[in-house]
Structure formats: structure tokens, C-alpha cells
Amino acid sequence: MTQNSTYSLILREHIADLDPLIERWASGHFLLADAAQAEAGEFLDRLKDIRADLAGRLARPDLEDRLSPGVADSMMAR
């Protein structure tokens, strides 16, 4: 498995973990009062921002060249 495919797989797994959380919090399933509703909205916005960041990283064309030759990151050293 190449570094690119490993990194992409990890990003996809993190996105897959976030999707059900976002769906659950966005569905209106939780009935919250005033301040809690505002805090939940901020939480949901943050989850969406994190997901968008991960999706943006997944779309990067330079994933294969993230590290200089001969430099291993923690995933490659395992």
C-alpha cells in the first residue's frame, strides 16, 4: 500500500465516522432549549468544517509527494 493510498484511506475513514454524527445532529432528533440549541448549532458547524477540511485534503493532487524522499512519517514507520 502506498503512502497516498494509506493517507486517502485514513481520510475516508474519518469522513465516514463524521457523517453519521453530522446527520444525527442535523436531523433535529435532539430537542434542546435555548443555550443548548445554540451550542449544538456551533458543534454541528464545527463538525461540518472538519469534514470539509478532510474532504479537501482528500482532493489534493500532491498527496504522493507530501514527504521528502527518505523521510518517514508515523504511519510509514509502523
Side-chain angles (χ1 to χ4, degrees):
M1 185 174 262
T2 67
Q3 179 180 348
N4 183 27
S5 60
T6 302
Y7 187 65
S8 296
L9 177 65
I10 290 170
L11 288 175
R12 281 187 177 91
E13 287 175 354
H14 287 314
I15 289 169
D17 289 341
L18 286 173
D19 284 342
L21 288 173
I22 291 170
E23 184 178 321
R24 192 173 314 138
W25 280 94
S27 70
H29 179 74
F30 300 106
L31 300 176
L32 303 171
D34 304 322
Q37 183 65 33
E39 191 171 327
E42 291 175 17
F43 177 71
L44 179 59
D45 289 342
R46 182 66 182 131
L47 287 176
K48 289 178 181 179
D49 289 345
I50 292 169
R51 191 202 185 285
D53 180 56
L54 293 175
R57 291 180 191 189
L58 190 59
R60 286 180 32 196
D62 64 336
L63 287 179
E64 194 66 43
D65 298 325
R66 283 188 328 112
L67 298 176
S68 301
V71 177
D73 67 1
S74 61
M75 291 186 320
M76 296 297 289
R78 291 181 190 171

